[in-house]
């Protein structure tokens, strides 16, 4: 039992932010499940681009698919490879899912980032991927954009697990939390079961500090009173933002609206901390794990950060600590004109574009492996 296992005692699950065929086939995921208590896996277009677009790990499977499906589109070829990986990861985690009675053990697969602004297409894509992967412990990733909110409610209503991604602001998080509830309520009204439907809300952290810190650094002048106030919030805004999102969650699950669903067996939508690799070398490499530990949460971690926490992370219930301090940090952020809401809005848009660019690169790499394939 090590530090990663100890997080479970605090109510926090650890998921791996990484998928790769060689890693799966070599038993790397199973090893993390057995030794570190890992209970989930997330993927995104950037992860698949790195996995599929480089090296030869997928070439044999792709050649076999192309032989059986001449003229298949590049998108179909990608989905075939991705679904194989997601199914393999889901099968590895199925004993975890069964042992925890559907409370964990999930693998996430993202809808196409090209659909982020199209509600109906997102709903259709979620249903298609759910059917094709055909694993109870799958979560479909849907971005928490304004167009994604109704798609989330509809997908939950259809009985499909959802991982809401690209959340940066507390207001956006509240909207998707209420969309989850609305989807459950519609099922409950029809008398359909809601006790084995799961969702997480992926709240991104490090990217906020990167953007805010850059703004602070551009304004700091030695000996200036405002500069001292700016330096006092440097590296603290993302954590404060996350803490206040969690404070809202803790209050919401005591509400009559949620308790009515809980009485029918509904599972709360857990906050999941994403973008937890430390971008700034001046900060501890386990910063966004050490400071965000709390009950009913998930931390999805890239392999390098996972190794760092196993080696020297700190385990304590930090998420609910000094919430007043977090409120003060965000109040100072507003007073100093650091425009957190503008930053979070921009990060959502950039995140959608970044995933779309990674998807472009991924599809281009797959097409290049079989130039005769249909674009």
């Amino acid at each position: 039992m090590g530090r990663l296992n100890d997080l479970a005692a605090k109510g926090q699950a650890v998921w791996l932010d990484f998928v790769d065929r060689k890693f799966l086939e070599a038993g790397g995921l199973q090893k993390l499940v057995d030794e570190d208590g890992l209970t989930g896996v997330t993927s995104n277009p950037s992860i698949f681009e790195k996995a599929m677009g480089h090296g030869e790990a997928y070439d044999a499977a792709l050649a076999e698919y192309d032989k059986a499906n001449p003229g298949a589109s590049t998108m179909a070829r990608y989905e075939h490879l991705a679904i194989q990986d997601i199914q393999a990861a889901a099968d590895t985690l199925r004993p975890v899912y069964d042992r925890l009675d559907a409370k964990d053990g999930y693998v996430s697969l993202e809808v196409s980032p090209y659909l982020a602004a199209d509600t109906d297409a997102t709903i259709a894509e979620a249903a298609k991927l759910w059917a094709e992967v055909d694993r109870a412990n799958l979560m479909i990733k849907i971005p928490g954009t304004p167009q994604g909110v109704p798609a989330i409610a509809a997908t939950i209503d259809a009985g499909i697990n959802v991982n809401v991604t690209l959340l940066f602001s507390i207001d956006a998080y509240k909207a998707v939390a209420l969309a989850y509830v609305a989807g459950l309520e519609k099922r409950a009204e029809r008398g359909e079961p809601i006790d084995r439907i799961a969702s997480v809300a992926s709240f991104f952290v490090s990217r906020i500090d990167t953007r805010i810190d850059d703004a602070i650094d551009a304004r700091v002048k030695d000996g200036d009173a405002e500069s001292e106030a700016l330096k006092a919030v440097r590296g603290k805004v993302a954590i404060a933002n996350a803490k206040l999102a969690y404070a809202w969650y803790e209050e919401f699950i005591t509400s009559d609206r949620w308790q009515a669903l809980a009485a029918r067996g509904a599972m709360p939508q857990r906050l999941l901390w994403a973008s937890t690799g430390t971008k700034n070398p001046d900060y501890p490499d386990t910063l966004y794990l050490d400071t965000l530990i709390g009950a009913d949460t998930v931390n999805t971690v890239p392999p390098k950060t996972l190794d760092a926490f196993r080696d020297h992370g700190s385990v304590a219930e930090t998420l609910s600590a000094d919430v007043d301090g977090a409120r003060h940090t965000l109040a100072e952020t507003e007073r100093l004109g650091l425009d957190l809401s503008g930053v979070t809005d921009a990060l959502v848009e950039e995140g959608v574009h970044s995933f779309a660019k990674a998807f472009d690169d991924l599809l281009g790499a797959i097409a290049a492996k079989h130039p005769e394939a249909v674009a």
Side-chain angles (χ1 to χ4, degrees), residues 34 40 44 64 66 82 112 123 132 161 184 188 202 226 237-238 246 285 292 308 361:
D34 294 341
N44 62 47
E64 183 179 345
D66 288 343
S112 167
I123 294 168
E132 290 179 351
N161 307 313
L184 292 178
S202 297
E226 182 184 82
V237 176
Y246 185 69
D285 53 3
L292 297 174
D361 294 343

PDB file of all heavy atoms in Angstrom, residues 34 40 44 64 66 82 112 123 132 161 184 188 202 226 237-238 246 285 292 308 361:
ATOM      1  N   ASP A  34      -3.495  -3.211  -9.966  1.00  0.00           N
ATOM      2  CA  ASP A  34      -3.108  -4.138  -8.898  1.00  0.00           C
ATOM      3  C   ASP A  34      -2.264  -3.475  -7.819  1.00  0.00           C
ATOM      4  O   ASP A  34      -2.470  -3.719  -6.619  1.00  0.00           O
ATOM      5  CB  ASP A  34      -2.324  -5.319  -9.491  1.00  0.00           C
ATOM      6  CG  ASP A  34      -3.164  -6.199 -10.398  1.00  0.00           C
ATOM      7  OD1 ASP A  34      -4.405  -6.127 -10.307  1.00  0.00           O
ATOM      8  OD2 ASP A  34      -2.573  -6.939 -11.208  1.00  0.00           O
ATOM      9  N   GLY A  40      -9.633   3.969 -13.050  1.00  0.00           N
ATOM     10  CA  GLY A  40     -10.215   4.506 -14.269  1.00  0.00           C
ATOM     11  C   GLY A  40      -9.170   4.969 -15.261  1.00  0.00           C
ATOM     12  O   GLY A  40      -7.983   5.075 -14.933  1.00  0.00           O
ATOM     13  N   ASN A  44      -8.302  11.246 -24.871  1.00  0.00           N
ATOM     14  CA  ASN A  44      -8.753  12.408 -25.628  1.00  0.00           C
ATOM     15  C   ASN A  44      -8.025  12.395 -26.974  1.00  0.00           C
ATOM     16  O   ASN A  44      -7.114  11.588 -27.185  1.00  0.00           O
ATOM     17  CB  ASN A  44      -8.528  13.716 -24.849  1.00  0.00           C
ATOM     18  CG  ASN A  44      -7.073  13.992 -24.545  1.00  0.00           C
ATOM     19  OD1 ASN A  44      -6.216  13.887 -25.420  1.00  0.00           O
ATOM     20  ND2 ASN A  44      -6.771  14.365 -23.306  1.00  0.00           N
ATOM     21  N   GLU A  64      -5.064  -5.105 -41.072  1.00  0.00           N
ATOM     22  CA  GLU A  64      -6.098  -6.141 -41.014  1.00  0.00           C
ATOM     23  C   GLU A  64      -7.483  -5.535 -41.271  1.00  0.00           C
ATOM     24  O   GLU A  64      -8.299  -6.102 -42.015  1.00  0.00           O
ATOM     25  CB  GLU A  64      -6.064  -6.823 -39.644  1.00  0.00           C
ATOM     26  CG  GLU A  64      -7.046  -7.967 -39.496  1.00  0.00           C
ATOM     27  CD  GLU A  64      -6.960  -8.620 -38.122  1.00  0.00           C
ATOM     28  OE1 GLU A  64      -5.967  -8.378 -37.397  1.00  0.00           O
ATOM     29  OE2 GLU A  64      -7.897  -9.362 -37.780  1.00  0.00           O
ATOM     30  N   ASP A  66      -8.132  -2.697 -42.880  1.00  0.00           N
ATOM     31  CA  ASP A  66      -8.203  -2.222 -44.257  1.00  0.00           C
ATOM     32  C   ASP A  66      -8.475  -3.371 -45.227  1.00  0.00           C
ATOM     33  O   ASP A  66      -9.212  -3.218 -46.208  1.00  0.00           O
ATOM     34  CB  ASP A  66      -6.893  -1.521 -44.639  1.00  0.00           C
ATOM     35  CG  ASP A  66      -6.733  -0.169 -43.958  1.00  0.00           C
ATOM     36  OD1 ASP A  66      -7.739   0.372 -43.458  1.00  0.00           O
ATOM     37  OD2 ASP A  66      -5.599   0.337 -43.911  1.00  0.00           O
ATOM     38  N   ALA A  82      -9.465   3.054 -32.005  1.00  0.00           N
ATOM     39  CA  ALA A  82      -9.772   3.628 -30.695  1.00  0.00           C
ATOM     40  C   ALA A  82     -10.685   2.708 -29.904  1.00  0.00           C
ATOM     41  O   ALA A  82     -10.474   2.479 -28.701  1.00  0.00           O
ATOM     42  CB  ALA A  82     -10.414   5.003 -30.869  1.00  0.00           C
ATOM     43  N   SER A 112     -16.369  13.225 -31.227  1.00  0.00           N
ATOM     44  CA  SER A 112     -15.512  14.008 -32.120  1.00  0.00           C
ATOM     45  C   SER A 112     -15.492  15.474 -31.700  1.00  0.00           C
ATOM     46  O   SER A 112     -16.541  16.081 -31.484  1.00  0.00           O
ATOM     47  CB  SER A 112     -16.028  13.908 -33.554  1.00  0.00           C
ATOM     48  OG  SER A 112     -15.401  14.887 -34.378  1.00  0.00           O
ATOM     49  N   ILE A 123     -25.306  14.287 -29.465  1.00  0.00           N
ATOM     50  CA  ILE A 123     -26.186  13.258 -28.903  1.00  0.00           C
ATOM     51  C   ILE A 123     -26.121  11.987 -29.747  1.00  0.00           C
ATOM     52  O   ILE A 123     -26.005  10.869 -29.216  1.00  0.00           O
ATOM     53  CB  ILE A 123     -27.637  13.780 -28.818  1.00  0.00           C
ATOM     54  CG1 ILE A 123     -27.735  14.932 -27.814  1.00  0.00           C
ATOM     55  CG2 ILE A 123     -28.598  12.661 -28.450  1.00  0.00           C
ATOM     56  CD1 ILE A 123     -29.050  15.698 -27.872  1.00  0.00           C
ATOM     57  N   GLU A 132     -21.236   0.938 -30.072  1.00  0.00           N
ATOM     58  CA  GLU A 132     -20.112   0.251 -30.717  1.00  0.00           C
ATOM     59  C   GLU A 132     -19.107  -0.279 -29.701  1.00  0.00           C
ATOM     60  O   GLU A 132     -18.554  -1.368 -29.873  1.00  0.00           O
ATOM     61  CB  GLU A 132     -19.439   1.194 -31.718  1.00  0.00           C
ATOM     62  CG  GLU A 132     -20.298   1.467 -32.943  1.00  0.00           C
ATOM     63  CD  GLU A 132     -19.654   2.421 -33.921  1.00  0.00           C
ATOM     64  OE1 GLU A 132     -18.596   3.017 -33.593  1.00  0.00           O
ATOM     65  OE2 GLU A 132     -20.207   2.597 -35.016  1.00  0.00           O
ATOM     66  N   ASN A 161     -23.484   6.692 -19.600  1.00  0.00           N
ATOM     67  CA  ASN A 161     -22.577   7.375 -18.669  1.00  0.00           C
ATOM     68  C   ASN A 161     -21.839   8.498 -19.393  1.00  0.00           C
ATOM     69  O   ASN A 161     -21.419   8.339 -20.541  1.00  0.00           O
ATOM     70  CB  ASN A 161     -21.544   6.391 -18.103  1.00  0.00           C
ATOM     71  CG  ASN A 161     -22.183   5.160 -17.506  1.00  0.00           C
ATOM     72  OD1 ASN A 161     -23.140   5.258 -16.740  1.00  0.00           O
ATOM     73  ND2 ASN A 161     -21.661   3.986 -17.847  1.00  0.00           N
ATOM     74  N   LEU A 184     -31.321  12.539 -15.153  1.00  0.00           N
ATOM     75  CA  LEU A 184     -31.767  11.518 -14.202  1.00  0.00           C
ATOM     76  C   LEU A 184     -33.247  11.686 -13.873  1.00  0.00           C
ATOM     77  O   LEU A 184     -33.989  10.696 -13.759  1.00  0.00           O
ATOM     78  CB  LEU A 184     -30.937  11.607 -12.920  1.00  0.00           C
ATOM     79  CG  LEU A 184     -29.464  11.218 -12.999  1.00  0.00           C
ATOM     80  CD1 LEU A 184     -28.793  11.430 -11.640  1.00  0.00           C
ATOM     81  CD2 LEU A 184     -29.286   9.768 -13.448  1.00  0.00           C
ATOM     82  N   ALA A 188     -36.290   9.012 -14.134  1.00  0.00           N
ATOM     83  CA  ALA A 188     -37.062   8.670 -12.937  1.00  0.00           C
ATOM     84  C   ALA A 188     -38.560   8.883 -13.167  1.00  0.00           C
ATOM     85  O   ALA A 188     -39.388   8.083 -12.721  1.00  0.00           O
ATOM     86  CB  ALA A 188     -36.578   9.490 -11.748  1.00  0.00           C
ATOM     87  N   SER A 202     -15.308  17.025 -15.455  1.00  0.00           N
ATOM     88  CA  SER A 202     -13.860  17.219 -15.536  1.00  0.00           C
ATOM     89  C   SER A 202     -13.511  18.697 -15.492  1.00  0.00           C
ATOM     90  O   SER A 202     -13.694  19.436 -16.468  1.00  0.00           O
ATOM     91  CB  SER A 202     -13.307  16.585 -16.812  1.00  0.00           C
ATOM     92  OG  SER A 202     -13.510  15.188 -16.800  1.00  0.00           O
ATOM     93  N   GLU A 226       0.691  47.113  -5.589  1.00  0.00           N
ATOM     94  CA  GLU A 226      -0.180  46.220  -6.362  1.00  0.00           C
ATOM     95  C   GLU A 226       0.566  44.957  -6.761  1.00  0.00           C
ATOM     96  O   GLU A 226      -0.001  43.867  -6.787  1.00  0.00           O
ATOM     97  CB  GLU A 226      -0.708  46.927  -7.610  1.00  0.00           C
ATOM     98  CG  GLU A 226      -1.661  46.049  -8.425  1.00  0.00           C
ATOM     99  CD  GLU A 226      -2.120  46.701  -9.708  1.00  0.00           C
ATOM    100  OE1 GLU A 226      -1.350  46.633 -10.692  1.00  0.00           O
ATOM    101  OE2 GLU A 226      -3.223  47.262  -9.736  1.00  0.00           O
ATOM    102  N   VAL A 237      -4.778  30.580  -8.000  1.00  0.00           N
ATOM    103  CA  VAL A 237      -6.116  30.842  -8.532  1.00  0.00           C
ATOM    104  C   VAL A 237      -6.813  29.553  -8.962  1.00  0.00           C
ATOM    105  O   VAL A 237      -8.001  29.337  -8.662  1.00  0.00           O
ATOM    106  CB  VAL A 237      -6.049  31.844  -9.697  1.00  0.00           C
ATOM    107  CG1 VAL A 237      -7.429  32.040 -10.330  1.00  0.00           C
ATOM    108  CG2 VAL A 237      -5.497  33.182  -9.202  1.00  0.00           C
ATOM    109  N   ALA A 238      -6.118  28.664  -9.658  1.00  0.00           N
ATOM    110  CA  ALA A 238      -6.747  27.431 -10.134  1.00  0.00           C
ATOM    111  C   ALA A 238      -7.216  26.562  -8.971  1.00  0.00           C
ATOM    112  O   ALA A 238      -8.311  25.994  -9.011  1.00  0.00           O
ATOM    113  CB  ALA A 238      -5.775  26.652 -11.010  1.00  0.00           C
ATOM    114  N   TYR A 246     -16.011  22.652  -5.594  1.00  0.00           N
ATOM    115  CA  TYR A 246     -16.290  21.527  -4.696  1.00  0.00           C
ATOM    116  C   TYR A 246     -17.200  21.956  -3.549  1.00  0.00           C
ATOM    117  O   TYR A 246     -18.084  21.190  -3.124  1.00  0.00           O
ATOM    118  CB  TYR A 246     -14.981  20.958  -4.160  1.00  0.00           C
ATOM    119  CG  TYR A 246     -15.151  19.716  -3.303  1.00  0.00           C
ATOM    120  CD1 TYR A 246     -15.553  18.513  -3.873  1.00  0.00           C
ATOM    121  CD2 TYR A 246     -14.893  19.754  -1.937  1.00  0.00           C
ATOM    122  CE1 TYR A 246     -15.694  17.367  -3.093  1.00  0.00           C
ATOM    123  CE2 TYR A 246     -15.028  18.619  -1.149  1.00  0.00           C
ATOM    124  CZ  TYR A 246     -15.433  17.434  -1.744  1.00  0.00           C
ATOM    125  OH  TYR A 246     -15.579  16.309  -0.968  1.00  0.00           O
ATOM    126  N   ASP A 285       5.851  19.244  -8.540  1.00  0.00           N
ATOM    127  CA  ASP A 285       5.258  18.461  -9.623  1.00  0.00           C
ATOM    128  C   ASP A 285       4.006  17.704  -9.196  1.00  0.00           C
ATOM    129  O   ASP A 285       3.291  17.146 -10.033  1.00  0.00           O
ATOM    130  CB  ASP A 285       6.281  17.503 -10.243  1.00  0.00           C
ATOM    131  CG  ASP A 285       6.966  16.609  -9.226  1.00  0.00           C
ATOM    132  OD1 ASP A 285       6.630  16.672  -8.021  1.00  0.00           O
ATOM    133  OD2 ASP A 285       7.860  15.831  -9.628  1.00  0.00           O
ATOM    134  N   LEU A 292      -5.786  18.977  -3.854  1.00  0.00           N
ATOM    135  CA  LEU A 292      -7.170  18.762  -4.301  1.00  0.00           C
ATOM    136  C   LEU A 292      -7.692  17.387  -3.886  1.00  0.00           C
ATOM    137  O   LEU A 292      -8.393  16.714  -4.647  1.00  0.00           O
ATOM    138  CB  LEU A 292      -7.264  18.943  -5.819  1.00  0.00           C
ATOM    139  CG  LEU A 292      -6.927  20.347  -6.345  1.00  0.00           C
ATOM    140  CD1 LEU A 292      -6.910  20.358  -7.868  1.00  0.00           C
ATOM    141  CD2 LEU A 292      -7.919  21.379  -5.817  1.00  0.00           C
ATOM    142  N   ALA A 308       5.402  10.671  -9.945  1.00  0.00           N
ATOM    143  CA  ALA A 308       5.887  11.656  -8.974  1.00  0.00           C
ATOM    144  C   ALA A 308       5.108  11.552  -7.665  1.00  0.00           C
ATOM    145  O   ALA A 308       5.697  11.586  -6.579  1.00  0.00           O
ATOM    146  CB  ALA A 308       5.773  13.064  -9.546  1.00  0.00           C
ATOM    147  N   ASP A 361      -4.489  16.104 -36.893  1.00  0.00           N
ATOM    148  CA  ASP A 361      -3.177  15.456 -36.994  1.00  0.00           C
ATOM    149  C   ASP A 361      -3.306  13.941 -36.930  1.00  0.00           C
ATOM    150  O   ASP A 361      -2.610  13.209 -37.648  1.00  0.00           O
ATOM    151  CB  ASP A 361      -2.258  15.948 -35.871  1.00  0.00           C
ATOM    152  CG  ASP A 361      -1.904  17.421 -36.004  1.00  0.00           C
ATOM    153  OD1 ASP A 361      -2.097  17.978 -37.105  1.00  0.00           O
ATOM    154  OD2 ASP A 361      -1.452  18.015 -35.009  1.00  0.00           O
TER     155      ASP A 361
END
